[in-house]
Amino acid sequence: GESVGLHLPTLSVQEGDNSIINCAYSNSASDYFIWYKQESGKGPQFIIDIRSNMDKRQGQRVTVLLNKTVKHLSLQIAATQPGDSAVYFCAEREAAGNKLTFGGGTRVLVKP
Amino acid sequence: NAGVTQTPKFQVLKTGQSMTLQCAQDMNHNSMYWYRQDPGMGLRLIYYSASEGTTDKGEVPNGYNVSRLNKREFSLRLESAAPSQTSVYFCASSPSRTSSTDTQYFGPGTRLTVL
């Protein structure tokens, strides 16, 4: 079936460096994508979203890029901080529906 | 405004026991969802409710039942728990039935162990 996946299960990054988390999706009918952050013992927390009619969206220290040609989504975190250590999930939603399909998650470890 | 709340936080069951996981949201959202999260895996949808009075199966509904008690509350019931249902369960809600940008907001989770 359709699925959302991630390329890197664990990403180690030096504090202050930029982080890039990648996600591949396979459902060409998806029109909405979200990145969530999940800290240990907590529920997923919304970070940023993007609609399929956009290719870039920026938030506070985060940027999401969408490449529909190759069905690729990425999350960039600028100046990574210790508080950014968490598991990051991408999720996609098929047009005309309200169900999200989640990827497997990437763990980001920030080294001091 | 507490957002999405879940009870209990932790639960241990024996095989064959039943229990109900409770979820409530105070954001006046129409849609509510139940997910399970297993180690090394993403969230998988069990059931969802697009509006009060309606429920639909998700990806992994077997062994579960749900009740949308009112707009605020959405419960998940395990009638006869099995070890394969050991997982962390998350409830979520979103504002509208269908929306072009409809973010889901998650509760803190219930960690369930079935022995």
Side-chain angles (χ1 to χ4, degrees):
Chain A
E2 301 287 4
S3 64
V4 174
L6 295 174
H7 298 307
L8 300 174
T10 303
L11 176 66
S12 292
V13 60
Q14 200 71 36
E15 182 178 356
D17 288 351
N18 297 334
S19 302
I20 300 176
I21 306 164
N22 296 302
C23 176
Y25 66 95
S26 57
N27 188 350
S28 57
S30 293
D31 70 340
Y32 178 55
F33 304 87
I34 309 175
W35 281 101
Y36 283 92
K37 172 186 180 183
Q38 186 177 25
E39 296 175 283
S40 180
K42 297 183 179 180
Q45 178 184 8
F46 171 84
I47 302 174
I48 192 168
D49 59 1
I50 188 168
R51 295 179 60 182
S52 59
N53 62 353
M54 304 170 68
D55 55 19
K56 180 179 180 179
R57 191 166 187 218
Q58 288 185 289
Q60 187 176 10
R61 282 201 307 119
V62 295
T63 300
V64 56
L65 299 177
L66 176 63
N67 186 331
K68 293 181 289 295
T69 302
V70 295
K71 296 189 184 68
H72 186 267
L73 190 71
S74 69
L75 177 69
Q76 300 177 2
I77 305 174
T80 311
Q81 301 170 359
D84 295 327
S85 291
V87 177
Y88 292 79
F89 294 94
C90 64
E92 63 174 331
R93 188 192 68 182
E94 185 173 332
N98 62 349
K99 292 187 290 184
L100 294 178
T101 300
F102 285 82
T106 293
R107 182 175 300 280
V108 172
L109 299 175
V110 181
K111 297 177 290 185
Chain B
N1 189 335
V4 180
T5 57
Q6 293 183 235
T7 56
K9 286 186 169 52
F10 301 94
Q11 183 71 48
V12 178
L13 294 176
K14 294 181 180 178
T15 297
Q17 288 185 316
S18 62
M19 79 159 296
T20 299
L21 281 64
Q22 307 288 351
C23 173
Q25 51 90 11
D26 61 1
M27 297 176 281
N28 200 36
H29 286 173
N30 284 295
S31 299
M32 298 185 73
Y33 311 81
W34 275 106
Y35 292 90
R36 61 177 289 173
Q37 185 176 39
D38 300 305
M41 298 182 69
L43 294 152
R44 292 185 292 170
L45 183 65
I46 304 171
Y47 271 94
Y48 70 101
S49 170
S51 62
E52 185 179 353
T54 67
T55 60
D56 288 285
K57 295 179 180 179
E59 181 185 355
V60 288
N62 292 343
Y64 305 94
N65 285 300
V66 291
S67 295
R68 183 73 182 269
L69 304 171
N70 47 56
K71 192 172 186 178
R72 288 187 65 248
E73 298 171 292
F74 189 38
S75 63
L76 178 72
R77 182 160 180 84
L78 287 70
E79 291 290 351
S80 179
S84 61
Q85 294 178 305
T86 294
S87 188
V88 181
Y89 291 85
F90 289 100
C91 177
S93 69
S94 64
S96 59
R97 298 183 198 185
T98 58
S99 170
S100 60
T101 55
D102 199 24
T103 300
Q104 294 182 18
Y105 297 87
F106 285 82
T110 295
R111 186 173 295 275
L112 174 67
T113 301
V114 183
L115 302 175

